[in-house]
Amino acid sequence: MTRLVVVGGDAAGMSAASQARRRLAADRMQIVAYERSSWVSYSACGEPFHVAGQVDRIESLVARTPEAFAEMDIEVRTRHEVTAVDTAARTVTVVGLDAGTEFVDSYDELLIATGATARRPPIHGRDLDGVHELRTLEDAAALRALADGPPDDVVVIGGGYIGLEAAEAFVFRGWKVTVVCAHPGVLEGTLDEDLGEAVVSHMREMGITVLTDTRVACINGDRSVESVGCGDRTLPAKVVVLGLGSRPEVGVAAAAGIPLGPTGAIQVDERQRTPVPGVWAAGDCAEVIHRITGATTNPHLGTIANKTGRVAGINLGGDEARFPGALGSSITRVGDLEISSVGLSCEEARAAGFDAVDGTVEGTTTAGYMPGARSMTIRVVAERGTGRLLGAQIIGGPGAGKRIDVFATALWNGMTAADLEWTDLAYAPPFSGTWDLVAIAARAARRASS
Ligand SMILES: Cc1cc2nc3c(=O)[nH]c(=O)nc-3n(C[C@H](O)[C@H](O)[C@H](O)COP(=O)(O)OP(=O)(O)OC[C@H]3O[C@@H](n4cnc5c(N)ncnc54)[C@H](O)[C@@H]3O)c2cc1C
């Protein structure tokens, strides 16, 4: 009998547990998952929509309860934090957070799926009432309770996708929203700077105040937040949302001597094994290989967490699976502007040493004469000379964003801009022009790269 201990009960951890159980019945493998929070198998991705009131019941964000896992012979212990791992003795130290008890459990196989935590730079006042991150379901419930109150001023610090989704949620609830962002545009690292600036223009049209190139100096208040200070401005604030990015949660792993890679996340091979015998890692806490650069990367995406967890679980269950790498495909929206990207931005491609060019085109989401046609911009990044596709970015009205999946498929298969230009894409007036803007953008990139 093998005993599998899973640390962290969300996307990666519970995907792995489920996959292992499918392959090995309870008489061959015991599975226990320790989860620090009160919830397992939840959708953090749905949290902004709960704050917005569009998803009313927080329980709707839970894919599978501990009771449902118990029916699969997977023991889930919520409110239990693993505080130490001894890889020589193959044990974990666990603290029951409600009873305050500590005990030691042993494992044959250990999966670390501790995810990521919000970055918390030392801004004065960040512990005041009314200042929240948006990471856990508890955070989402707290922000929802505030959003349910009379509309007031909210300041969102950070222009990443979680900051933008939080901003959209509060706009939806009628609040006066200010986003403070240290860069000239939002979604730095996802979009090139000029496209990030175009998103800022759209947010301003929605009535959101966006302060770019601005750093928050302090959060003010007595017990509860009252204002945010940045430069010579003081912004009134009943609520502050910290959206300053995330970092892999690797404290317990690092303390146990489990090697971290250059990104600061846990080093794994393509089967999700760490270099330490019997220890595996998956999800936001683990590195993955970027399929374009070949370098390790650590994107914090639910898609990749689910897949790497699945790979770990298949291997733990005795079959063989290898994670084939990531492209970092992502999509979000602010109001009715859809924003998506895949692969490398122009800036990232050049930083990675590629001689990168881009083709950028503007058009409409449907045939231009159709009611509801909305503008859309597509940028395709390609390598000069070979025309190999390196990345794509899209911003535009409804229907724009998921076009990124065409580029994801093309990049996945190593296609060139010329290959994509002639791909047989579907057309009818409610969906695109005769030449979809995807193909027109590929043509622009082919010309730029030749
Ligand atoms: C607001 C928000 C919106 C998002 N939207 C999207 C989206 O639209 N698309 C997308 O692809 N991704 C999105 N993501 C990212 C996605 O949610 C994560 O990539 C995914 O949840 C990672 O799964 P994971 O299992 O690796 O880690 P997590 O979901 O972080 O789970 C790790 C779990 O481990 C627990 N844990 C940590 N340390 C310990 C310990 N020592 N002992 C016990 N338990 C521990 C934590 O409590 C946590 O529940 C979003 C994230 C957030 C926060």
mmCIF file of all heavy atoms in Angstrom, residues 7-13 34-37 39 42 44-48 80-83 113-116 134-135 161-162 165 249 252 282-285 300-303 305 331, ligand 1:
data_model
loop_
_atom_site.group_PDB
_atom_site.id
_atom_site.type_symbol
_atom_site.label_atom_id
_atom_site.label_comp_id
_atom_site.label_asym_id
_atom_site.label_seq_id
_atom_site.Cartn_x
_atom_site.Cartn_y
_atom_site.Cartn_z
ATOM 1 N N VAL A 7 -0.173 18.313 -0.566
ATOM 2 C CA VAL A 7 -0.177 19.580 0.201
ATOM 3 C C VAL A 7 -0.775 20.652 -0.693
ATOM 4 O O VAL A 7 -0.166 21.071 -1.685
ATOM 5 C CB VAL A 7 1.254 19.989 0.627
ATOM 6 C CG1 VAL A 7 1.185 21.163 1.600
ATOM 7 C CG2 VAL A 7 1.998 18.824 1.227
ATOM 8 N N GLY A 8 -1.986 21.116 -0.362
ATOM 9 C CA GLY A 8 -2.674 22.122 -1.177
ATOM 10 C C GLY A 8 -3.798 21.476 -1.963
ATOM 11 O O GLY A 8 -3.555 20.622 -2.816
ATOM 12 N N GLY A 9 -5.036 21.887 -1.644
ATOM 13 C CA GLY A 9 -6.201 21.169 -2.177
ATOM 14 C C GLY A 9 -6.967 21.916 -3.241
ATOM 15 O O GLY A 9 -8.191 21.929 -3.235
ATOM 16 N N ASP A 10 -6.248 22.546 -4.188
ATOM 17 C CA ASP A 10 -7.013 23.223 -5.240
ATOM 18 C C ASP A 10 -6.726 22.561 -6.594
ATOM 19 O O ASP A 10 -6.613 21.338 -6.683
ATOM 20 C CB ASP A 10 -6.718 24.727 -5.219
ATOM 21 C CG ASP A 10 -7.734 25.511 -6.048
ATOM 22 O OD1 ASP A 10 -8.850 25.011 -6.257
ATOM 23 O OD2 ASP A 10 -7.410 26.623 -6.495
ATOM 24 N N ALA A 11 -6.581 23.391 -7.627
ATOM 25 C CA ALA A 11 -6.564 22.865 -9.001
ATOM 26 C C ALA A 11 -5.533 21.756 -9.189
ATOM 27 O O ALA A 11 -5.863 20.642 -9.625
ATOM 28 C CB ALA A 11 -6.287 24.021 -9.959
ATOM 29 N N ALA A 12 -4.279 22.055 -8.875
ATOM 30 C CA ALA A 12 -3.226 21.070 -9.156
ATOM 31 C C ALA A 12 -3.327 19.877 -8.213
ATOM 32 O O ALA A 12 -3.273 18.720 -8.650
ATOM 33 C CB ALA A 12 -1.852 21.737 -9.031
ATOM 34 N N GLY A 13 -3.477 20.157 -6.915
ATOM 35 C CA GLY A 13 -3.475 19.087 -5.923
ATOM 36 C C GLY A 13 -4.617 18.104 -6.128
ATOM 37 O O GLY A 13 -4.420 16.877 -6.123
ATOM 38 N N TYR A 34 -4.021 17.795 2.458
ATOM 39 C CA TYR A 34 -4.103 18.822 3.497
ATOM 40 C C TYR A 34 -4.275 20.188 2.838
ATOM 41 O O TYR A 34 -3.500 20.558 1.945
ATOM 42 C CB TYR A 34 -2.832 18.830 4.355
ATOM 43 C CG TYR A 34 -2.694 17.589 5.186
ATOM 44 C CD1 TYR A 34 -1.724 16.631 4.890
ATOM 45 C CD2 TYR A 34 -3.548 17.361 6.260
ATOM 46 C CE1 TYR A 34 -1.609 15.474 5.648
ATOM 47 C CE2 TYR A 34 -3.440 16.205 7.021
ATOM 48 C CZ TYR A 34 -2.472 15.269 6.711
ATOM 49 O OH TYR A 34 -2.368 14.136 7.463
ATOM 50 N N GLU A 35 -5.295 20.920 3.283
ATOM 51 C CA GLU A 35 -5.587 22.235 2.715
ATOM 52 C C GLU A 35 -5.747 23.241 3.862
ATOM 53 O O GLU A 35 -6.552 23.034 4.764
ATOM 54 C CB GLU A 35 -6.857 22.172 1.852
ATOM 55 C CG GLU A 35 -7.461 23.509 1.483
ATOM 56 C CD GLU A 35 -6.502 24.470 0.771
ATOM 57 O OE1 GLU A 35 -5.804 24.051 -0.160
ATOM 58 O OE2 GLU A 35 -6.446 25.642 1.194
ATOM 59 N N ARG A 36 -4.984 24.311 3.758
ATOM 60 C CA ARG A 36 -4.948 25.323 4.818
ATOM 61 C C ARG A 36 -6.280 26.080 4.950
ATOM 62 O O ARG A 36 -6.701 26.425 6.038
ATOM 63 C CB ARG A 36 -3.796 26.263 4.446
ATOM 64 C CG ARG A 36 -3.619 27.463 5.240
ATOM 65 C CD ARG A 36 -2.287 28.091 4.897
ATOM 66 N NE ARG A 36 -2.261 28.681 3.562
ATOM 67 C CZ ARG A 36 -1.169 29.137 2.969
ATOM 68 N NH1 ARG A 36 -0.003 29.032 3.565
ATOM 69 N NH2 ARG A 36 -1.229 29.682 1.783
ATOM 70 N N SER A 37 -6.942 26.352 3.834
ATOM 71 C CA SER A 37 -8.175 27.151 3.879
ATOM 72 C C SER A 37 -9.375 26.244 4.173
ATOM 73 O O SER A 37 -9.236 25.049 4.398
ATOM 74 C CB SER A 37 -8.376 27.876 2.551
ATOM 75 O OG SER A 37 -8.842 26.966 1.568
ATOM 76 N N TRP A 39 -11.706 25.630 2.054
ATOM 77 C CA TRP A 39 -12.290 25.174 0.791
ATOM 78 C C TRP A 39 -11.302 24.314 0.020
ATOM 79 O O TRP A 39 -10.099 24.528 0.112
ATOM 80 C CB TRP A 39 -12.627 26.383 -0.096
ATOM 81 C CG TRP A 39 -13.458 27.426 0.575
ATOM 82 C CD1 TRP A 39 -12.995 28.454 1.363
ATOM 83 C CD2 TRP A 39 -14.877 27.570 0.534
ATOM 84 N NE1 TRP A 39 -14.044 29.216 1.792
ATOM 85 C CE2 TRP A 39 -15.213 28.704 1.295
ATOM 86 C CE3 TRP A 39 -15.883 26.845 -0.104
ATOM 87 C CZ2 TRP A 39 -16.522 29.125 1.447
ATOM 88 C CZ3 TRP A 39 -17.190 27.277 0.050
ATOM 89 C CH2 TRP A 39 -17.499 28.392 0.828
ATOM 90 N N TYR A 42 -11.625 24.758 -5.650
ATOM 91 C CA TYR A 42 -12.440 25.957 -5.919
ATOM 92 C C TYR A 42 -11.872 26.703 -7.132
ATOM 93 O O TYR A 42 -10.710 26.525 -7.489
ATOM 94 C CB TYR A 42 -12.449 26.884 -4.693
ATOM 95 C CG TYR A 42 -11.082 27.248 -4.181
ATOM 96 C CD1 TYR A 42 -10.406 28.369 -4.666
ATOM 97 C CD2 TYR A 42 -10.438 26.457 -3.228
ATOM 98 C CE1 TYR A 42 -9.138 28.694 -4.201
ATOM 99 C CE2 TYR A 42 -9.170 26.774 -2.771
ATOM 100 C CZ TYR A 42 -8.524 27.893 -3.257
ATOM 101 O OH TYR A 42 -7.263 28.208 -2.814
ATOM 102 N N ALA A 44 -10.611 29.988 -8.232
ATOM 103 C CA ALA A 44 -10.183 31.367 -7.938
ATOM 104 C C ALA A 44 -10.549 32.268 -9.116
ATOM 105 O O ALA A 44 -10.880 33.440 -8.927
ATOM 106 C CB ALA A 44 -8.683 31.395 -7.682
ATOM 107 N N CYS A 45 -10.531 31.685 -10.320
ATOM 108 C CA CYS A 45 -10.809 32.472 -11.525
ATOM 109 C C CYS A 45 -12.203 33.080 -11.495
ATOM 110 O O CYS A 45 -12.464 34.110 -12.120
ATOM 111 C CB CYS A 45 -10.667 31.598 -12.771
ATOM 112 S SG CYS A 45 -9.181 30.575 -12.754
ATOM 113 N N GLY A 46 -13.127 32.433 -10.780
ATOM 114 C CA GLY A 46 -14.500 32.940 -10.716
ATOM 115 C C GLY A 46 -14.709 33.987 -9.642
ATOM 116 O O GLY A 46 -15.793 34.600 -9.576
ATOM 117 N N GLU A 47 -13.692 34.221 -8.809
ATOM 118 C CA GLU A 47 -13.888 35.120 -7.661
ATOM 119 C C GLU A 47 -14.319 36.541 -8.059
ATOM 120 O O GLU A 47 -15.229 37.101 -7.432
ATOM 121 C CB GLU A 47 -12.608 35.169 -6.814
ATOM 122 C CG GLU A 47 -12.353 33.862 -6.081
ATOM 123 C CD GLU A 47 -10.973 33.794 -5.440
ATOM 124 O OE1 GLU A 47 -10.217 34.786 -5.538
ATOM 125 O OE2 GLU A 47 -10.661 32.754 -4.843
ATOM 126 N N PRO A 48 -13.691 37.150 -9.087
ATOM 127 C CA PRO A 48 -14.114 38.516 -9.431
ATOM 128 C C PRO A 48 -15.600 38.591 -9.780
ATOM 129 O O PRO A 48 -16.256 39.610 -9.530
ATOM 130 C CB PRO A 48 -13.245 38.865 -10.647
ATOM 131 C CG PRO A 48 -12.044 37.969 -10.532
ATOM 132 C CD PRO A 48 -12.554 36.700 -9.916
ATOM 133 N N HIS A 80 -6.084 22.547 7.626
ATOM 134 C CA HIS A 80 -4.877 21.856 8.075
ATOM 135 C C HIS A 80 -3.701 22.352 7.241
ATOM 136 O O HIS A 80 -3.734 22.245 6.007
ATOM 137 C CB HIS A 80 -5.002 20.331 7.923
ATOM 138 C CG HIS A 80 -5.795 19.704 9.025
ATOM 139 N ND1 HIS A 80 -7.158 19.817 9.105
ATOM 140 C CD2 HIS A 80 -5.398 18.982 10.107
ATOM 141 C CE1 HIS A 80 -7.585 19.180 10.193
ATOM 142 N NE2 HIS A 80 -6.531 18.667 10.821
ATOM 143 N N GLU A 81 -2.709 22.905 7.913
ATOM 144 C CA GLU A 81 -1.555 23.466 7.213
ATOM 145 C C GLU A 81 -0.329 22.572 7.421
ATOM 146 O O GLU A 81 -0.019 22.191 8.559
ATOM 147 C CB GLU A 81 -1.258 24.868 7.747
ATOM 148 C CG GLU A 81 -0.048 25.495 7.077
ATOM 149 C CD GLU A 81 0.065 26.981 7.345
ATOM 150 O OE1 GLU A 81 -0.673 27.505 8.209
ATOM 151 O OE2 GLU A 81 0.921 27.608 6.694
ATOM 152 N N VAL A 82 0.330 22.261 6.318
ATOM 153 C CA VAL A 82 1.603 21.536 6.424
ATOM 154 C C VAL A 82 2.689 22.577 6.691
ATOM 155 O O VAL A 82 2.875 23.514 5.912
ATOM 156 C CB VAL A 82 1.884 20.745 5.129
ATOM 157 C CG1 VAL A 82 3.293 20.163 5.139
ATOM 158 C CG2 VAL A 82 0.856 19.630 4.977
ATOM 159 N N THR A 83 3.383 22.418 7.802
ATOM 160 C CA THR A 83 4.363 23.434 8.197
ATOM 161 C C THR A 83 5.795 22.972 7.959
ATOM 162 O O THR A 83 6.706 23.799 7.971
ATOM 163 C CB THR A 83 4.192 23.799 9.689
ATOM 164 O OG1 THR A 83 4.235 22.572 10.444
ATOM 165 C CG2 THR A 83 2.874 24.507 9.940
ATOM 166 N N ALA A 113 1.540 21.087 -3.909
ATOM 167 C CA ALA A 113 0.673 21.849 -4.819
ATOM 168 C C ALA A 113 0.169 23.075 -4.057
ATOM 169 O O ALA A 113 -1.022 23.315 -3.939
ATOM 170 C CB ALA A 113 -0.486 20.978 -5.301
ATOM 171 N N THR A 114 1.141 23.826 -3.542
ATOM 172 C CA THR A 114 0.824 24.931 -2.632
ATOM 173 C C THR A 114 0.477 26.229 -3.356
ATOM 174 O O THR A 114 0.185 27.242 -2.708
ATOM 175 C CB THR A 114 2.009 25.162 -1.668
ATOM 176 O OG1 THR A 114 3.231 25.107 -2.428
ATOM 177 C CG2 THR A 114 2.067 24.086 -0.597
ATOM 178 N N GLY A 115 0.543 26.222 -4.691
ATOM 179 C CA GLY A 115 0.047 27.361 -5.444
ATOM 180 C C GLY A 115 0.907 28.605 -5.329
ATOM 181 O O GLY A 115 2.130 28.540 -5.253
ATOM 182 N N ALA A 116 0.225 29.735 -5.322
ATOM 183 C CA ALA A 116 0.921 31.021 -5.261
ATOM 184 C C ALA A 116 0.226 31.894 -4.231
ATOM 185 O O ALA A 116 -0.926 31.651 -3.864
ATOM 186 C CB ALA A 116 0.883 31.695 -6.630
ATOM 187 N N LEU A 134 -7.188 39.721 -3.614
ATOM 188 C CA LEU A 134 -8.212 38.854 -4.204
ATOM 189 C C LEU A 134 -7.502 37.585 -4.653
ATOM 190 O O LEU A 134 -6.971 37.497 -5.755
ATOM 191 C CB LEU A 134 -8.893 39.553 -5.385
ATOM 192 C CG LEU A 134 -10.037 38.767 -6.043
ATOM 193 C CD1 LEU A 134 -11.038 38.259 -5.037
ATOM 194 C CD2 LEU A 134 -10.731 39.605 -7.107
ATOM 195 N N ARG A 135 -7.429 36.652 -3.734
ATOM 196 C CA ARG A 135 -6.684 35.409 -4.012
ATOM 197 C C ARG A 135 -7.514 34.199 -3.585
ATOM 198 O O ARG A 135 -7.789 33.323 -4.371
ATOM 199 C CB ARG A 135 -5.349 35.478 -3.242
ATOM 200 C CG ARG A 135 -4.446 34.309 -3.406
ATOM 201 C CD ARG A 135 -3.583 34.370 -4.634
ATOM 202 N NE ARG A 135 -3.489 33.065 -5.247
ATOM 203 C CZ ARG A 135 -3.109 32.831 -6.480
ATOM 204 N NH1 ARG A 135 -2.757 33.818 -7.266
ATOM 205 N NH2 ARG A 135 -3.072 31.610 -6.963
ATOM 206 N N TYR A 161 -4.047 41.410 -14.418
ATOM 207 C CA TYR A 161 -5.417 41.016 -14.761
ATOM 208 C C TYR A 161 -6.312 40.886 -13.532
ATOM 209 O O TYR A 161 -7.514 41.164 -13.610
ATOM 210 C CB TYR A 161 -5.464 39.785 -15.668
ATOM 211 C CG TYR A 161 -5.169 38.461 -15.010
ATOM 212 C CD1 TYR A 161 -6.180 37.730 -14.410
ATOM 213 C CD2 TYR A 161 -3.890 37.923 -15.021
ATOM 214 C CE1 TYR A 161 -5.911 36.512 -13.812
ATOM 215 C CE2 TYR A 161 -3.618 36.710 -14.428
ATOM 216 C CZ TYR A 161 -4.624 36.005 -13.822
ATOM 217 O OH TYR A 161 -4.363 34.802 -13.224
ATOM 218 N N ILE A 162 -5.745 40.539 -12.379
ATOM 219 C CA ILE A 162 -6.604 40.446 -11.190
ATOM 220 C C ILE A 162 -7.056 41.844 -10.771
ATOM 221 O O ILE A 162 -8.229 42.055 -10.426
ATOM 222 C CB ILE A 162 -5.875 39.697 -10.055
ATOM 223 C CG1 ILE A 162 -5.710 38.230 -10.471
ATOM 224 C CG2 ILE A 162 -6.649 39.797 -8.735
ATOM 225 C CD1 ILE A 162 -4.973 37.360 -9.499
ATOM 226 N N GLU A 165 -9.790 42.842 -13.201
ATOM 227 C CA GLU A 165 -11.061 42.131 -12.974
ATOM 228 C C GLU A 165 -11.730 42.636 -11.698
ATOM 229 O O GLU A 165 -12.960 42.743 -11.628
ATOM 230 C CB GLU A 165 -10.819 40.618 -12.933
ATOM 231 C CG GLU A 165 -10.458 40.076 -14.324
ATOM 232 C CD GLU A 165 -10.187 38.570 -14.366
ATOM 233 O OE1 GLU A 165 -10.281 37.897 -13.317
ATOM 234 O OE2 GLU A 165 -9.881 38.071 -15.468
ATOM 235 N N GLU A 249 4.272 29.901 -3.903
ATOM 236 C CA GLU A 249 4.285 29.613 -2.451
ATOM 237 C C GLU A 249 5.209 28.410 -2.243
ATOM 238 O O GLU A 249 4.808 27.259 -2.444
ATOM 239 C CB GLU A 249 2.854 29.306 -2.018
ATOM 240 C CG GLU A 249 2.694 28.703 -0.654
ATOM 241 C CD GLU A 249 2.476 29.728 0.444
ATOM 242 O OE1 GLU A 249 1.608 30.585 0.289
ATOM 243 O OE2 GLU A 249 3.184 29.632 1.452
ATOM 244 N N VAL A 252 7.592 26.067 2.478
ATOM 245 C CA VAL A 252 7.770 24.753 3.104
ATOM 246 C C VAL A 252 8.726 23.901 2.266
ATOM 247 O O VAL A 252 9.620 23.230 2.799
ATOM 248 C CB VAL A 252 6.400 24.051 3.269
ATOM 249 C CG1 VAL A 252 6.575 22.602 3.658
ATOM 250 C CG2 VAL A 252 5.561 24.784 4.306
ATOM 251 N N ALA A 282 3.380 20.444 -8.604
ATOM 252 C CA ALA A 282 2.563 20.832 -9.761
ATOM 253 C C ALA A 282 1.816 22.116 -9.443
ATOM 254 O O ALA A 282 1.630 22.480 -8.283
ATOM 255 C CB ALA A 282 1.571 19.716 -10.102
ATOM 256 N N GLY A 283 1.388 22.791 -10.505
ATOM 257 C CA GLY A 283 0.598 24.013 -10.338
ATOM 258 C C GLY A 283 1.474 25.252 -10.222
ATOM 259 O O GLY A 283 2.643 25.254 -10.628
ATOM 260 N N ASP A 284 0.889 26.305 -9.654
ATOM 261 C CA ASP A 284 1.561 27.611 -9.609
ATOM 262 C C ASP A 284 2.898 27.580 -8.874
ATOM 263 O O ASP A 284 3.723 28.468 -9.064
ATOM 264 C CB ASP A 284 0.666 28.628 -8.887
ATOM 265 C CG ASP A 284 -0.484 29.136 -9.735
ATOM 266 O OD1 ASP A 284 -0.624 28.688 -10.885
ATOM 267 O OD2 ASP A 284 -1.239 29.992 -9.242
ATOM 268 N N CYS A 285 3.098 26.574 -8.004
ATOM 269 C CA CYS A 285 4.350 26.546 -7.225
ATOM 270 C C CYS A 285 5.495 25.905 -8.011
ATOM 271 O O CYS A 285 6.625 25.903 -7.535
ATOM 272 C CB CYS A 285 4.140 25.819 -5.896
ATOM 273 S SG CYS A 285 3.733 24.075 -6.083
ATOM 274 N N HIS A 300 1.241 31.821 -13.565
ATOM 275 C CA HIS A 300 0.221 31.440 -12.585
ATOM 276 C C HIS A 300 -1.118 31.407 -13.310
ATOM 277 O O HIS A 300 -1.835 32.394 -13.375
ATOM 278 C CB HIS A 300 0.231 32.425 -11.409
ATOM 279 C CG HIS A 300 1.531 32.381 -10.659
ATOM 280 N ND1 HIS A 300 1.923 33.343 -9.768
ATOM 281 C CD2 HIS A 300 2.526 31.457 -10.684
ATOM 282 C CE1 HIS A 300 3.111 33.018 -9.261
ATOM 283 N NE2 HIS A 300 3.494 31.882 -9.814
ATOM 284 N N LEU A 301 -1.420 30.252 -13.870
ATOM 285 C CA LEU A 301 -2.625 30.104 -14.684
ATOM 286 C C LEU A 301 -3.331 28.803 -14.322
ATOM 287 O O LEU A 301 -2.688 27.747 -14.180
ATOM 288 C CB LEU A 301 -2.261 30.068 -16.174
ATOM 289 C CG LEU A 301 -1.796 31.405 -16.759
ATOM 290 C CD1 LEU A 301 -1.146 31.206 -18.112
ATOM 291 C CD2 LEU A 301 -2.980 32.375 -16.869
ATOM 292 N N GLY A 302 -4.659 28.888 -14.214
ATOM 293 C CA GLY A 302 -5.448 27.718 -13.868
ATOM 294 C C GLY A 302 -5.322 26.611 -14.892
ATOM 295 O O GLY A 302 -5.353 25.424 -14.548
ATOM 296 N N THR A 303 -5.189 26.994 -16.153
ATOM 297 C CA THR A 303 -5.052 25.995 -17.213
ATOM 298 C C THR A 303 -3.828 25.111 -16.954
ATOM 299 O O THR A 303 -3.900 23.885 -17.014
ATOM 300 C CB THR A 303 -4.858 26.716 -18.561
ATOM 301 O OG1 THR A 303 -3.898 27.770 -18.365
ATOM 302 C CG2 THR A 303 -6.158 27.299 -19.068
ATOM 303 N N ALA A 305 -2.093 24.828 -14.125
ATOM 304 C CA ALA A 305 -2.181 24.127 -12.834
ATOM 305 C C ALA A 305 -2.972 22.826 -12.998
ATOM 306 O O ALA A 305 -2.587 21.772 -12.485
ATOM 307 C CB ALA A 305 -2.834 25.027 -11.788
ATOM 308 N N ILE A 331 -6.463 35.175 -21.166
ATOM 309 C CA ILE A 331 -7.561 36.008 -21.669
ATOM 310 C C ILE A 331 -8.258 36.652 -20.484
ATOM 311 O O ILE A 331 -8.352 36.058 -19.402
ATOM 312 C CB ILE A 331 -8.546 35.147 -22.507
ATOM 313 C CG1 ILE A 331 -9.645 36.016 -23.135
ATOM 314 C CG2 ILE A 331 -9.163 34.028 -21.686
ATOM 315 C CD1 ILE A 331 -10.417 35.290 -24.250
HETATM 316 C C1 LIG B 1 -8.790 36.284 -8.751
HETATM 317 C C2 LIG B 1 -8.114 35.281 -9.643
HETATM 318 C C3 LIG B 1 -8.552 35.120 -10.946
HETATM 319 C C4 LIG B 1 -7.920 34.196 -11.775
HETATM 320 N N1 LIG B 1 -8.369 34.050 -13.063
HETATM 321 C C5 LIG B 1 -7.765 33.152 -13.876
HETATM 322 C C6 LIG B 1 -8.254 32.946 -15.191
HETATM 323 O O1 LIG B 1 -9.243 33.584 -15.638
HETATM 324 N N2 LIG B 1 -7.608 32.037 -15.980
HETATM 325 C C7 LIG B 1 -6.531 31.305 -15.531
HETATM 326 O O2 LIG B 1 -5.992 30.470 -16.282
HETATM 327 N N3 LIG B 1 -6.076 31.462 -14.257
HETATM 328 C C8 LIG B 1 -6.663 32.351 -13.431
HETATM 329 N N4 LIG B 1 -6.221 32.500 -12.135
HETATM 330 C C9 LIG B 1 -5.069 31.690 -11.676
HETATM 331 C C10 LIG B 1 -5.531 30.335 -11.159
HETATM 332 O O3 LIG B 1 -6.554 30.487 -10.241
HETATM 333 C C11 LIG B 1 -4.342 29.630 -10.533
HETATM 334 O O4 LIG B 1 -3.351 29.472 -11.512
HETATM 335 C C12 LIG B 1 -4.714 28.269 -9.971
HETATM 336 O O5 LIG B 1 -5.666 28.388 -8.945
HETATM 337 C C13 LIG B 1 -3.469 27.582 -9.415
HETATM 338 O O6 LIG B 1 -3.833 26.367 -8.875
HETATM 339 P P1 LIG B 1 -2.882 25.651 -7.821
HETATM 340 O O7 LIG B 1 -3.603 24.431 -7.379
HETATM 341 O O8 LIG B 1 -1.527 25.537 -8.357
HETATM 342 O O9 LIG B 1 -2.755 26.711 -6.622
HETATM 343 P P2 LIG B 1 -3.840 27.425 -5.725
HETATM 344 O O10 LIG B 1 -5.123 27.585 -6.426
HETATM 345 O O11 LIG B 1 -3.162 28.651 -5.199
HETATM 346 O O12 LIG B 1 -4.051 26.389 -4.542
HETATM 347 C C14 LIG B 1 -3.036 26.095 -3.641
HETATM 348 C C15 LIG B 1 -3.699 25.714 -2.347
HETATM 349 O O13 LIG B 1 -2.704 25.270 -1.432
HETATM 350 C C16 LIG B 1 -3.056 25.708 -0.141
HETATM 351 N N5 LIG B 1 -1.817 25.733 0.623
HETATM 352 C C17 LIG B 1 -0.728 26.503 0.419
HETATM 353 N N6 LIG B 1 0.239 26.194 1.296
HETATM 354 C C18 LIG B 1 -0.266 25.205 2.081
HETATM 355 C C19 LIG B 1 0.259 24.474 3.171
HETATM 356 N N7 LIG B 1 1.498 24.695 3.614
HETATM 357 N N8 LIG B 1 -0.524 23.544 3.745
HETATM 358 C C20 LIG B 1 -1.785 23.300 3.295
HETATM 359 N N9 LIG B 1 -2.330 23.974 2.268
HETATM 360 C C21 LIG B 1 -1.572 24.908 1.662
HETATM 361 C C22 LIG B 1 -3.676 27.068 -0.363
HETATM 362 O O14 LIG B 1 -4.555 27.397 0.698
HETATM 363 C C23 LIG B 1 -4.422 26.869 -1.676
HETATM 364 O O15 LIG B 1 -5.763 26.534 -1.508
HETATM 365 C C24 LIG B 1 -6.838 33.422 -11.281
HETATM 366 C C25 LIG B 1 -6.400 33.586 -9.966
HETATM 367 C C26 LIG B 1 -7.025 34.498 -9.155
HETATM 368 C C27 LIG B 1 -6.547 34.660 -7.742
#
